[in-house]
Amino acid sequence: MAESGSLPTGFGELEVLAVGMVLLVEALTGLCLNSLTILSFCKTPELRTPTHLLVLSLALADSGISLNALVAATSSLLRVSHRRWPYGSNGCQAHGFQGFVTALASICSSAAIAWGRYHHYCSRSQLAWNTAISLVICVWLSSAFWAALPLLGWGHYDYEPLGTCCTLDYSRGDRNFTSFLFTMAFFNFFVPLFITFISYRLMEQKLRKTGHLQVNTTLPARTLLFGWGPYALLYLYATIADVSSISPKLQMVPALVAKTVPTINAINYALGGEMVHRGIWQCLSPQGSGLDRAR
């Protein structure tokens, strides 16, 4: 995975443009939906609760993923004419770091939301502000810590096969990469996935006993598996075999799939929640806001 002065191996101009357009649609959709979530939190007092603070953290992380996708989309379109990554080596490192921070924060924020909902439905008590704030701080500090390690020599950021975005360099497959991958994946993918699954599973059992099943208890875990599972499989394969045996086009699939996560999360956690949905409507419609206050 290296920067070059020609089109990447295995891609034609139309294919580079097609990937750029897909990334652009994913980026703009994710940015619009998550920006509405952030705006509704800031503009609607009813949403300023500890539980919704966790949703805000997720929306901020997903907005970062969408911004990362926007840079990748722009570089895809520029690559056709410039035949190279337009932001240089330092830009690649910054892009990889920013994308990794926000991706890890998105995964861990989903797990924090799952635990928060379990706490709310099973203990019948509101999440405390100090607990929610501590969770958010831990999520972002942990994400920044793990994302900084490749900059310090444990792991490495490099170009994706298309050369339009940067991520962990999985082409090396050496001991440095393998040790970082397994350690990082355990704490930042499998543990959050386990917390998400167990929290919603226990919550489902509790709600069934009381005769009230008002939340989707399977979609969050499925979203994590769908969005980040392809990356996990690609990285796992890279530790046991030569990743060059996989076509460059197939290697780009995990990146394209992962960029859909911000849209799915916005629909699931924001648009799918009655209070957040109402807050978004109030932000978009002054008349709707006035009617709600009149009621």
Side-chain angles (χ1 to χ4, degrees):
M1 296 189 295
E3 182 180 15
S4 67
S6 60
L7 286 175
T9 304
F11 294 92
E13 286 191 2
L14 288 179
E15 291 166 329
V16 174
L17 286 173
V19 171
M21 292 306 298
V22 171
L23 287 169
L24 184 62
V25 170
E26 291 176 329
L28 294 179
T29 303
L31 276 175
C32 289
L33 293 179
N34 284 286
S35 294
L36 284 175
T37 303
I38 296 169
L39 182 63
S40 66
F41 181 89
C42 296
K43 300 274 290 183
T44 309
E46 293 87 350
L47 294 180
R48 296 171 196 161
T49 65
T51 300
H52 287 112
L53 179 65
L54 302 180
V55 177
L56 175 65
S57 174
L58 178 63
L60 290 171
D62 286 341
S63 295
I65 295 175
S66 296
L67 284 173
N68 190 271
L70 186 60
V71 173
T74 304
S75 63
S76 297
L77 302 178
L78 291 175
R79 189 170 178 83
V80 175
S81 58
H82 290 72
R83 296 291 196 268
R84 63 192 299 274
W85 166 263
Y87 308 113
S89 178
N90 290 335
C92 177
Q93 298 300 305
H95 186 254
F97 173 77
Q98 187 270 343
F100 203 30
V101 167
T102 52
L104 295 181
S106 176
I107 295 171
C108 294
S109 291
S110 296
I113 292 172
W115 182 85
R117 290 186 172 181
Y118 163 77
H119 178 272
H120 172 72
Y121 282 101
C122 295
S123 68
R124 297 298 178 183
S125 60
Q126 292 292 335
L127 193 65
W129 271 109
N130 60 345
T131 302
I133 293 173
S134 297
L135 282 173
V136 171
I137 292 175
C138 286
V139 162
W140 284 95
L141 286 180
S142 173
S143 300
F145 169 77
W146 285 101
L149 291 178
L151 299 177
L152 301 175
W154 198 19
H156 182 67
Y157 292 121
D158 204 349
Y159 305 96
E160 294 268 13
L162 190 59
T164 58
C165 52
C166 295
T167 186
L168 284 176
D169 182 5
Y170 51 83
S171 66
R172 300 187 178 190
D174 55 17
R175 182 176 298 179
N176 178 283
F177 165 77
T178 302
S179 62
F180 173 75
L181 172 68
F182 280 111
T183 307
M184 180 276 301
F186 176 78
F187 288 105
N188 295 283
F189 180 70
F190 292 107
V191 170
L193 180 63
F194 177 78
I195 292 173
T196 301
F197 177 79
I198 291 298
S199 296
Y200 280 109
R201 185 66 176 173
L202 293 175
M203 184 171 62
E204 180 182 16
Q205 294 176 354
K206 179 72 173 181
L207 292 175
R208 279 181 176 174
K209 288 181 180 179
T210 59
H212 300 286
L213 188 58
Q214 302 173 340
V215 295
N216 190 326
T217 59
T218 60
L219 182 59
R222 288 179 180 177
T223 300
L224 287 178
L225 281 175
F226 168 79
W228 305 108
Y231 259 132
L233 290 176
L234 179 61
Y235 288 167
L236 178 61
Y237 182 85
T239 64
I240 60 177
D242 184 3
V243 76
S244 63
S245 62
I246 303 177
S247 69
K249 293 176 184 177
L250 191 58
Q251 291 181 45
M252 282 302 300
V253 170
L256 296 177
V257 172
K259 299 301 190 292
T260 65
V261 171
T263 299
I264 297 173
N265 282 341
I267 294 173
N268 182 32
Y269 292 104
L271 298 180
E274 180 180 353
M275 186 171 290
V276 180
H277 186 274
R278 187 174 61 191
I280 292 175
W281 171 249
Q282 289 179 359
C283 292
L284 293 176
S285 173
Q287 292 180 348
S289 179
L291 287 173
D292 284 341
R293 285 194 297 268
R295 290 174 185 172

